[in-house]
Amino acid sequence: MSVPEPQMSPQEFFQAVRTHIEGLARQPIPRETFFGELLEVLARATNAVGGMMWMQTGGGVAPICDAGGTAAKLQTFPHVWSAHGEWVPNVVGTGESRVVLADDEKWKGAGGAAVLLFIPFFEGKRPVGAVELVIRPETPPETRNGLLEFVEQLCGLASRALSQGPGAAANGRPPGPAKGAAGPTASPGAAGPRGPVVTVAPAGGGGTSAAPNAGGPITLGNVMSAPAPAASNNFWQELEQFLLVLERAETVTEIAATAAADARLMLDADRLSVVVKRGEATNVEAVSGQKTVNHKGDLIRSLVELAKVVLPTGEPLDFSSRNATFPPTIEEKLTDFLEKANARRLLIVPLFANQRPEPPDETRKDKVVEKPRKVIGGLVVEQMREDAANDMLTNRTLLLADHVGAAISNGLLREQVFLLPLWIRIGRAWEWFHGRRAQKAGLFAGAAFIALLLMVFVPWEYRVEGEGKLMPTVQQRVFAPWDGDIVELSVHGGERVAVGDPLLKLRNNELHSQRITAETQLLEKRQLERSLQSRLDTLGAANRDERIKLEGQLEQTRVEIIGLYEQAKILNEREEALSVHSPRPGVIATFQVEQLLMNRPVKRGEALLEVMDDTGPWRLELRVPEHRQGHLLRAREKRSDPALPVTFVLATNPETTWTGTLGEVATRADSTEQQERVVEAFVEIPEGTPSVRRIGADVRCRINCGKRSLAYVMFGDVLEFLQRRFWW
C-alpha cells in the first residue's frame, strides 16, 4: 500500500494518511511490518530526516523500528544516546509529548543540531511506547508544535485502528528492539536484547523493508492488550466505572479531565473536549489526550468561538456528511473549526445545570412548573473516520452529557462557596474533636475559659519601662564665651576642680586685632588732646575766634577718647574671657578632653565641658516612650502622692535591684537619634543609693502605675500597637 504524498491540501492529506493507517490495521501482516509502515507514514508526513519506534520490554524501553539509520547515528554520540535513557522513559512514563533540541556539531543527520519529537503511543489509557522523529533544526517553533499535535492524532488513530484490526484478539509478545540497538537504559557498550529488524526509509527515501516474523498477525500482545468487545454490556460496565470516578472528582477541572479521558474511550471517539461556562466567559476546560489546554492555540480558540454560538441554543449540534445546512452564525464558526480540526463528524451536546422543580401550582392541578434550564457547558465529540455517522454515538453522548453536566453543576456550585478551602479545613479540624478527643477538648476549653477569667478579673501591677542614666543632680555645662581656637587645656577627664580653676584657653585673632586697633586709636586721641590743650594754653585772649575753635576740637577729642576707652575695655574683657574657669566645684565629666578639644575651632555658645558635683545628691535621667506617658499621668491623678514608686537595676550591677520615686516629668516629647519619640523623666533616689556610683551608668527601670487586669498587663502592648497602627 503506497504512502500518501503531502502534495495535496492539508485536509486531503490528513484523510489519506488516516485511511492508509486504518488499511494497514485491517491487513494480517506482522506487527513489525505494521510499526515500520506507521513510522514511514509519520516520517514522510512530517518531512522528518529520521526516527525510531520505542516499545516497553521486560528490561525497560527499547527501539523496535528505525528510519534512516537513526539508531546507528545516535550510538556514535554517547552523550546524545545516553540522554535517551532519560527522555524516552519520561515520555512513556508521563504520557506527555516532548520536544528536545539536541545540540551536536557532529550530528550529520540534521546539519549541526537535531530537533527530536517524542510522542507517546497508548494502549487505551496506558502509554506503552513512544515515537521519535528527527526533524530539521530550521523548523520554526510554531511548526514544531503543529507537527507534535498532528503526530499525536495519528498515533491515537493508529492505536485505536490496531486494537480493532483482524488480529486484535491475538496475544503475542510485543516487538523486540531493533537489531544492534541497545536500549538507552543499558550501560555503555552493553548489548541490548535483539529481535527482528525493521528498517524504514526516511522522507524522500526509498521503499520499506521488513524482516519476517513468526509472531503472527498484528497485535500489541502483552504490551497492547486486546480491546473490549463491542457488546453493549461492556458499555454499561464502563459507564458504572465512569460514574464512580466522576463522583470522586471534586473540582470542575478534575471532573472535566475525567470526562474528557474516559468518555472518549467509551464513545470510541477520536477526540473529546469539555467546554465550561462561568458567567459570560466560555473556556475549554479539558481535551482528551492533553494534560493541559493551550488556550492560545488556534484550534482551541476556534472551538471556543463555535461553542459561544452553539451552546446558547440549548440544542445539540450534529455535523456529518448527511447533515443539512446550519444558520449563518453557526455555519461560519463551524466551517472555521472543521478546517482546523479535520473532523468528519462533530457532535456538540450542551450541559445543563442542576435544577430543582418548583412547587406545584394550585391553578394547574399539581403540575410541576419547569423553568428553562441553564447551559453551563458542553461536550464536543470529534470523529475522523469515514463511518463516523451513527445513532449510537449520539445516544451515548446524550446519556453521558446528563451525568457530566450534573457533576460540573455541582462543581461550579462548590466553587461559588466563599472561602471554601478555609471552611473545609475548619470542618476537618472540627471532625478531630469527635470521640474521646471531645472530652479532652472540653477539658482544654474549660481550662482556657478559667484562665481567661483569671486574666480578666485578677489585678496585677502595671509597670512602665524606661531606660536612662545615673547622673549627679548638680551639673553644669561650660560653653564657649566667644568664637576661637582652643590653644590650651588645664584639666583632664575625671579631674576634680574648684570654683574659679582654669579649664581651658581660647584664642581669637580677630578679637585680639580689634583690641590692638582700639588701644592704638585711644593713644592717638590722647596725644591729640594734649596737643590741643597746649595750643589753647599758649593762645592769647585777643584771638577769640581761634580759641573757640580749639576748645571745640578739644571737647570732640575728649568724647572720642571716652568711646575708644570703653571699646578697648570691652575688647579686653572679651579677650580675658577666652580663659575659661570652672563655674562650680565638681569633677570634669567629659571623656577624653584632649582628643575632643585641643586645637579645635569652636563657636560662641558651643558646649565644651561638663562639671558635675558627685558629692551631692544623685538621680536617674530616664527616657520613657511617648505612648507610655498617658499611663504615668493617669497613675499620678489616681494617687494622692504623685511620686510613683520605681525599681531599677544598673548595667554595672544587674544582680541588685534599687528603688526610687518618680519626680519631674517633661511636658513635651523629644526625638532621639533613632527617630524615636521619648519623654524625659527624673527619678529621685535615696542618699547613698546605689553604693557604687558611676556617672552615666546605664539603668533600666520600671515605674509602678497601679493595678490593672492581668490580661491588660500581658497583652496591653499588643492592643496599643494595633490601635496606633490600624485604628487611625
Side-chain angles (χ1 to χ4, degrees):
M1 184 177 296
S2 61
V3 179
E5 297 296 335
Q7 286 81 15
M8 55 184 73
S9 67
Q11 292 80 6
E12 295 175 346
F13 179 70
F14 180 81
Q15 296 298 335
V17 172
R18 179 182 51 75
T19 304
H20 182 73
I21 293 176
E22 291 177 346
L24 286 176
R26 297 190 184 98
Q27 297 182 13
I29 58 177
R31 52 183 173 276
E32 287 82 2
T33 305
F34 173 80
F35 287 119
E37 289 281 351
L38 176 62
L39 186 60
E40 179 184 3
V41 169
L42 298 179
R44 291 195 177 188
T46 58
N47 197 27
V49 298
M52 288 188 292
M53 187 75 183
W54 299 78
M55 279 292 173
Q56 288 182 341
T57 63
V61 183
I64 63 170
C65 297
D66 186 352
T70 304
K73 293 179 181 179
L74 287 174
Q75 290 180 359
T76 58
F77 307 104
H79 61 286
V80 177
W81 180 249
S82 61
H84 279 64
E86 175 186 354
W87 298 335
V88 180
N90 179 266
V91 172
V92 177
T94 62
E96 295 182 356
S97 303
R98 184 173 182 178
V99 180
V100 177
L101 179 62
D103 296 318
D104 196 308
E105 296 181 356
K106 299 180 180 179
W107 177 252
K108 303 177 182 179
V115 180
L116 308 179
L117 302 183
F118 293 93
I119 302 91
F121 194 87
F122 286 84
E123 171 207 355
K125 302 180 183 179
R126 183 172 64 92
V128 295
V131 176
E132 176 184 1
L133 295 176
V134 183
I135 63 175
R136 304 182 185 278
E138 62 271 14
T139 305
E142 57 272 12
T143 305
R144 301 174 191 172
N145 297 332
L147 292 176
L148 200 66
E149 184 177 353
F150 176 70
V151 177
E152 285 177 347
Q153 296 182 13
L154 292 181
C155 287
L157 180 64
S159 175
R160 292 189 297 275
L162 187 62
S163 64
Q164 298 173 357
N171 188 18
R173 298 182 61 187
K179 185 177 182 180
T185 56
S187 58
R194 300 180 180 272
V197 182
V198 179
T199 303
V200 184
T208 304
S209 62
N213 178 38
I218 295 180
T219 176
L220 297 181
N222 293 332
V223 177
M224 302 191 68
S225 60
S232 60
N233 291 337
N234 289 341
F235 173 78
W236 297 112
Q237 294 176 1
E238 293 176 357
L239 177 61
E240 183 179 356
Q241 295 295 326
F242 171 73
L243 296 180
L244 181 60
V245 176
L246 201 63
E247 290 178 358
R248 292 174 179 172
E250 296 182 352
T251 64
V252 175
T253 302
E254 294 176 355
I255 296 171
T258 301
D262 295 352
R264 182 192 68 82
L265 298 176
M266 297 174 60
L267 299 174
D268 192 23
D270 293 317
R271 181 165 53 204
L272 190 145
S273 305
V274 180
V275 180
V276 177
K277 292 187 62 177
R278 290 182 174 90
E280 298 295 330
T282 302
N283 294 309
V284 177
E285 196 71 22
V287 179
S288 59
Q290 300 181 15
K291 285 195 172 183
T292 58
V293 180
N294 182 15
H295 295 281
K296 297 183 179 180
D298 293 339
L299 184 61
I300 299 300
R301 288 183 177 181
S302 179
L303 177 57
V304 170
E305 294 299 325
L306 177 60
K308 286 181 179 179
V309 297
V310 173
L311 295 181
T313 64
E315 297 293 335
L317 182 144
D318 190 356
F319 169 82
S320 64
S321 58
R322 299 176 298 179
N323 279 117
T325 58
F326 296 93
T329 56
I330 296 179
E331 186 174 1
E332 179 183 357
K333 306 295 183 182
L334 179 62
T335 303
D336 179 68
F337 176 74
L338 292 175
E339 289 179 355
K340 297 176 180 178
N342 299 315
R344 300 301 297 271
R345 183 179 184 184
L346 178 66
L347 180 61
I348 301 179
V349 179
L351 302 178
F352 297 97
N354 298 331
Q355 183 176 351
R356 294 183 179 180
E358 295 291 335
D361 190 351
E362 296 180 356
T363 61
R364 302 184 61 179
K365 296 182 180 180
D366 296 340
K367 289 185 178 180
V368 177
V369 180
E370 294 185 358
K371 292 183 178 180
R373 303 180 67 185
K374 179 182 177 182
V375 178
I376 58 173
L379 293 182
V380 182
V381 182
E382 302 174 52
Q383 291 281 29
M384 312 297 179
R385 298 191 296 273
E386 295 284 353
D387 56 347
N390 60 79
D391 296 335
M392 184 177 295
L393 175 64
T394 303
N395 296 333
R396 291 183 175 182
T397 304
L398 292 174
L399 175 62
L400 294 179
D402 291 337
H403 298 286
V404 176
I408 291 181
S409 178
N410 293 332
L412 292 176
L413 184 62
R414 176 189 177 93
E415 290 182 354
Q416 295 175 3
V417 178
F418 181 67
L419 297 177
L420 178 62
L422 175 62
W423 298 122
I424 291 177
R425 289 182 173 85
I426 293 176
R428 291 175 180 173
W430 181 256
E431 185 180 0
W432 184 87
F433 293 103
H434 289 73
R436 298 185 60 183
R437 292 176 177 174
Q439 300 176 358
K440 298 180 180 178
L443 294 176
F444 178 78
F449 181 73
I450 294 174
L452 180 62
L453 293 178
L454 292 176
M455 294 176 63
V456 172
F457 295 104
V458 172
W460 205 263
E461 295 290 344
Y462 185 82
R463 299 179 176 90
V464 173
E465 295 185 355
E467 297 180 352
K469 297 182 181 299
L470 176 64
M471 303 291 287
T473 302
V474 179
Q475 50 184 284
Q476 187 170 348
R477 290 185 178 183
V478 178
F479 300 95
W482 204 259
D483 297 347
D485 298 332
I486 299 176
V487 295
E488 182 180 341
L489 286 173
S490 303
V491 293
H492 304 282
E495 183 177 345
R496 188 171 297 279
V497 295
V499 178
D501 287 352
L503 301 179
L504 53 85
K505 186 175 183 180
L506 287 80
R507 180 181 62 194
N508 188 320
N509 294 330
E510 182 180 358
L511 184 62
H512 182 71
S513 175
Q514 292 176 0
R515 184 179 65 82
I516 296 299
T517 301
E519 291 179 351
T520 302
Q521 292 176 355
L522 179 61
L523 292 176
E524 292 177 354
K525 292 299 180 180
R526 285 178 175 174
Q527 183 67 27
L528 178 60
E529 179 189 16
R530 288 191 294 269
S531 175
L532 292 175
Q533 184 66 43
S534 175
R535 290 175 57 188
L536 186 62
D537 293 341
T538 58
L539 188 64
N543 197 350
R544 187 170 177 275
D545 294 337
E546 182 68 19
R547 187 178 183 87
I548 294 173
K549 180 179 179 181
L550 290 176
E551 288 178 352
Q553 292 179 353
L554 179 62
E555 187 65 24
Q556 180 181 358
T557 301
R558 288 174 177 172
V559 172
E560 292 177 353
I561 289 174
I562 295 174
L564 289 174
Y565 175 79
E566 294 295 333
Q567 181 179 359
K569 181 180 178 182
I570 293 174
L571 292 174
N572 187 56
E573 291 176 353
R574 288 181 179 177
E575 193 168 13
E576 290 179 355
L578 294 179
S579 297
V580 182
H581 298 79
S582 175
R584 64 175 57 254
V587 295
I588 304 299
T590 305
F591 183 61
Q592 293 184 339
V593 177
E594 293 83 359
Q595 292 86 338
L596 182 65
L597 298 178
M598 191 62 185
N599 298 323
R600 171 186 168 185
V602 296
K603 294 290 184 180
R604 181 180 181 182
E606 184 176 347
L608 302 179
L609 298 172
E610 284 186 303
V611 180
M612 300 183 183
D613 186 5
D614 59 343
T615 61
W618 288 62
R619 68 182 180 184
L620 304 181
E621 297 180 359
L622 301 181
R623 296 185 302 273
V624 180
E626 182 183 16
H627 64 274
R628 301 300 184 113
Q629 185 181 12
H631 297 287
L632 300 180
L633 298 179
R634 285 192 296 269
R636 281 188 159 187
E637 292 177 357
K638 293 180 180 180
R639 291 171 58 97
S640 57
D641 183 8
L644 301 178
V646 178
T647 58
F648 66 93
V649 294
L650 296 173
T652 57
N653 186 17
E655 295 84 4
T656 306
T657 302
W658 309 91
T659 60
T661 55
L662 181 65
E664 185 180 359
V665 179
T667 56
R668 70 171 187 176
D670 296 322
S671 297
T672 63
E673 297 179 355
Q674 293 77 20
Q675 301 301 321
E676 296 178 352
R677 301 289 294 176
V678 296
V679 176
E680 292 186 0
F682 300 109
V683 176
E684 306 297 335
I685 59 178
E687 185 177 355
T689 303
S691 56
V692 178
R693 301 175 177 179
R694 296 189 61 181
I695 297 177
D698 290 334
V699 298
R700 293 180 59 88
C701 70
R702 294 178 178 177
I703 305 173
N704 192 339
C705 296
K707 292 184 179 293
R708 302 291 296 270
S709 66
L710 181 59
Y712 188 83
V713 173
M714 297 179 62
F715 305 106
D717 293 346
V718 179
L719 178 62
E720 292 178 0
F721 174 81
L722 296 177
Q723 289 176 340
R724 292 197 310 271
R725 298 294 181 181
F726 305 107
W727 188 261
W728 296 105

